[in-house]
Amino acid sequence: MHTAPPIFYSYFRASAPYRVRIALALKNITYETVSVDLRQNDQHNLAYQRVNPQALVPSLHIDGQILTQSLAIIEWLEDCYPDPPLLPSSPHDRAFVRSLALTIACDIHPLNNLRVQRYLTQNFDAQPKACQSWQQHWIMLGLHSLETRLKDDLRRGDFCYGNSPGLVETCLIPQWRNAEIQGCDLGGLPILGGIVKRALALPAFIKAHPDLQPDYVPSP
Amino acid sequence: MHTAPPIFYSYFRASAPYRVRIALALKNITYETVSVDLRQNDQHNLAYQRVNPQALVPSLHIDGQILTQSLAIIEWLEDCYPDPPLLPSSPHDRAFVRSLALTIACDIHPLNNLRVQRYLTQNFDAQPKACQSWQQHWIMLGLHSLETRLKDDLRRGDFCYGNSPGLVETCLIPQWRNAEIQGCDLGGLPILGGIVKRALALPAFIKAHPDLQPDYVPSP
């Protein structure tokens, strides 16, 4: 069908590309990775600006189109490669799953981006400890609300919705990793913790892990 | 079909409920408004926490379910009330529209929330002028990238996609209003400005405007 393999503009450390890597792996879609090193400001290179004027990762070049925004890409994958499904079939349950995913994608992650940390440091003279408190604050606020919503929801199974990972897990697992890196105390989140543990044991999540990406370099 | 009208938990000033009000109005769905006054911290009342553990607006009580997260609610409306459509039918074009909407919902708006301003003021001793610069920075970064993406895209018409307002406009019009309130210089965004002007003249956008909501109070 495809004459050329999809090209995925990614950065191993960043959590939005990690979401899409999980979705691509769950749907068994092969692709080539082009690394956009955010620490080196590669996203501001003129060549990449033409791919994605927002200067963010990920971007996916597939079927002659460039797709951007991780959740829009995953919804596109769901439209075009429906098997296995990452969203439920009933509208109510789709809204539930999308709402959980958006809690991470809108209310946690955007506040913890590298560009935001840089702004806090440069413009508010934020020290590393204050930056870490900022990160922990928004992460824990969001994750606790997810834990509460999942606690008594009968739709929950081994994963946030039923017994297969889906859209929420594509967002949760990268966010959980950030929470660990930021030293969050995750002990009070047993439901989410169990889901993360089960997901990380699956081949698709192993394949998508930052440490296994072609542009991976160990932390200094 | 519905025995009781939908209940919409809203706050006239907030931009996420404004998005959903536009979608409800475009789809001609009637509802009752319950105001959650974010300035008075009503979102932390125990009664509202049971509606929405995330303590954010909007929430929509409809068909015996409570839906949260503005974009998840709008996608639900699209699933259940497909006419008029707010998303295109082709997967590629859906991804384009979702990507533009997510640029606002993920990369602009979460950084400009009231709760974020409060954190900056309380924890980084940010003065009003520095808060305003923060707001303007993220708003202009996002809006300029949207303007660039729309400039040469043949899918653009009177609106971001074609000649009818859709998902992008539900996000853009509230965001544009925030930009004006924050004193952003919007003169360099003629494409977006034209789209906003055309949208604001339509009955659904007039009906959804903050100043016409039952909980509206004039700014002091």
Side-chain angles (χ1 to χ4, degrees):
Chain A
M1 307 273 277
H2 306 300
T3 48
I7 296 173
F8 184 57
Y9 296 86
S10 178
Y11 181 52
F12 77 99
R13 271 185 216 278
S15 90
Y18 188 3
R19 294 175 193 156
V20 179
R21 289 200 304 267
I22 294 169
L24 287 163
L26 284 168
K27 290 180 181 289
N28 213 15
I29 299 166
T30 55
Y31 58 93
E32 284 175 10
T33 297
V34 172
S35 180
V36 180
D37 188 335
L38 303 185
R39 307 243 165 199
Q40 300 296 327
N41 284 314
D42 282 0
Q43 72 276 24
H44 296 298
N45 290 350
L46 212 59
Y48 188 65
Q49 293 266 6
R50 275 194 286 266
V51 172
N52 184 343
Q54 228 196 326
L56 295 174
V57 283
S59 306
L60 180 64
H61 193 167
I62 191 167
D63 282 355
Q65 303 261 339
I66 292 169
L67 308 177
T68 61
Q69 287 286 343
S70 58
L71 292 191
I73 297 172
I74 296 173
E75 294 265 3
W76 182 89
L77 292 171
E78 185 72 0
D79 280 345
C80 296
Y81 299 83
D83 189 39
L86 303 183
L87 280 162
S89 53
S90 95
H92 275 321
D93 291 352
R94 291 163 80 84
F96 171 68
V97 163
R98 284 184 174 128
S99 170
L100 296 173
L102 287 164
T103 293
I104 298 169
C106 292
D107 297 326
I108 304 178
H109 176 249
L111 294 156
N112 299 315
N113 255 337
L114 185 59
R115 61 183 195 156
V116 173
Q117 290 177 63
R118 282 177 174 163
Y119 191 103
L120 291 173
T121 304
Q122 288 163 12
N123 297 74
F124 292 105
D125 197 28
Q127 300 302 304
K129 205 163 176 64
C131 280
Q132 193 183 34
S133 298
W134 160 279
Q135 299 261 0
Q136 291 179 351
H137 175 78
W138 302 115
I139 293 171
M140 295 311 289
L141 200 61
L143 292 183
H144 271 295
S145 78
L146 286 182
E147 182 86 9
T148 302
R149 291 179 65 190
L150 287 171
K151 194 153 62 90
D152 301 317
D153 201 295
L154 297 175
R155 290 170 285 197
R156 176 168 61 86
D158 282 346
F159 294 97
C160 295
Y161 177 86
N163 291 317
S164 306
L167 180 66
V168 192
E169 285 75 18
T170 68
C171 296
L172 174 62
I173 277 60
Q175 186 58 65
W176 190 269
R177 182 170 183 272
N178 283 355
E180 289 177 332
I181 290 170
Q182 293 301 330
C184 292
D185 176 5
L186 300 168
L189 303 166
I191 295 168
L192 293 177
I195 289 166
V196 170
K197 197 177 164 189
R198 284 185 286 278
L200 285 175
L202 300 175
F205 289 81
I206 293 169
K207 191 174 169 190
H209 195 280
D211 294 0
L212 293 183
Q213 301 317 303
D215 56 341
Y216 168 75
V217 284
S219 291
Chain B
M1 306 279 278
H2 306 301
T3 48
I7 296 173
F8 185 58
Y9 296 86
S10 179
Y11 181 49
F12 77 99
R13 273 186 215 276
S15 90
Y18 187 5
R19 292 175 194 156
V20 179
R21 289 199 305 268
I22 294 169
L24 288 163
L26 284 168
K27 289 178 179 291
N28 212 16
I29 298 166
T30 56
Y31 58 92
E32 286 175 10
T33 298
V34 171
S35 179
V36 181
D37 187 335
L38 303 185
R39 305 243 164 199
Q40 300 296 325
N41 283 313
D42 282 2
Q43 73 277 23
H44 295 298
N45 291 349
L46 212 58
Y48 188 65
Q49 293 266 6
R50 275 194 288 265
V51 173
N52 184 342
Q54 228 196 326
L56 295 174
V57 284
S59 305
L60 179 65
H61 193 167
I62 191 166
D63 283 356
Q65 302 263 339
I66 293 168
L67 308 177
T68 62
Q69 287 286 343
S70 58
L71 292 191
I73 297 173
I74 297 173
E75 294 266 1
W76 182 90
L77 292 171
E78 186 72 1
D79 280 344
C80 296
Y81 299 84
D83 188 41
L86 304 184
L87 281 162
S89 53
S90 96
H92 275 320
D93 290 351
R94 292 163 79 83
F96 171 68
V97 163
R98 284 184 174 127
S99 170
L100 296 173
L102 287 164
T103 293
I104 297 170
C106 292
D107 297 326
I108 304 178
H109 176 249
L111 294 157
N112 299 313
N113 255 339
L114 185 58
R115 60 183 196 157
V116 173
Q117 290 177 63
R118 282 178 174 161
Y119 192 104
L120 291 173
T121 304
Q122 288 164 12
N123 297 73
F124 291 105
D125 198 29
Q127 300 302 305
K129 204 161 176 62
C131 279
Q132 194 185 33
S133 297
W134 162 279
Q135 299 262 1
Q136 290 178 351
H137 175 78
W138 302 114
I139 292 171
M140 295 311 290
L141 201 60
L143 292 183
H144 271 294
S145 77
L146 286 182
E147 182 87 8
T148 302
R149 291 179 65 191
L150 287 171
K151 195 155 59 92
D152 301 317
D153 201 294
L154 297 174
R155 292 169 285 196
R156 176 167 61 85
D158 282 344
F159 295 98
C160 294
Y161 177 87
N163 291 317
S164 307
L167 181 67
V168 193
E169 284 76 18
T170 70
C171 297
L172 174 62
I173 277 60
Q175 186 57 64
W176 191 268
R177 183 170 182 270
N178 284 356
E180 289 177 331
I181 290 171
Q182 294 300 331
C184 292
D185 177 4
L186 300 168
L189 304 165
I191 295 168
L192 293 177
I195 289 166
V196 170
K197 195 176 166 192
R198 285 185 284 279
L200 285 174
L202 299 175
F205 288 82
I206 293 169
K207 191 175 170 188
H209 194 279
D211 295 358
L212 292 183
Q213 300 316 303
D215 57 340
Y216 168 74
V217 285
S219 290

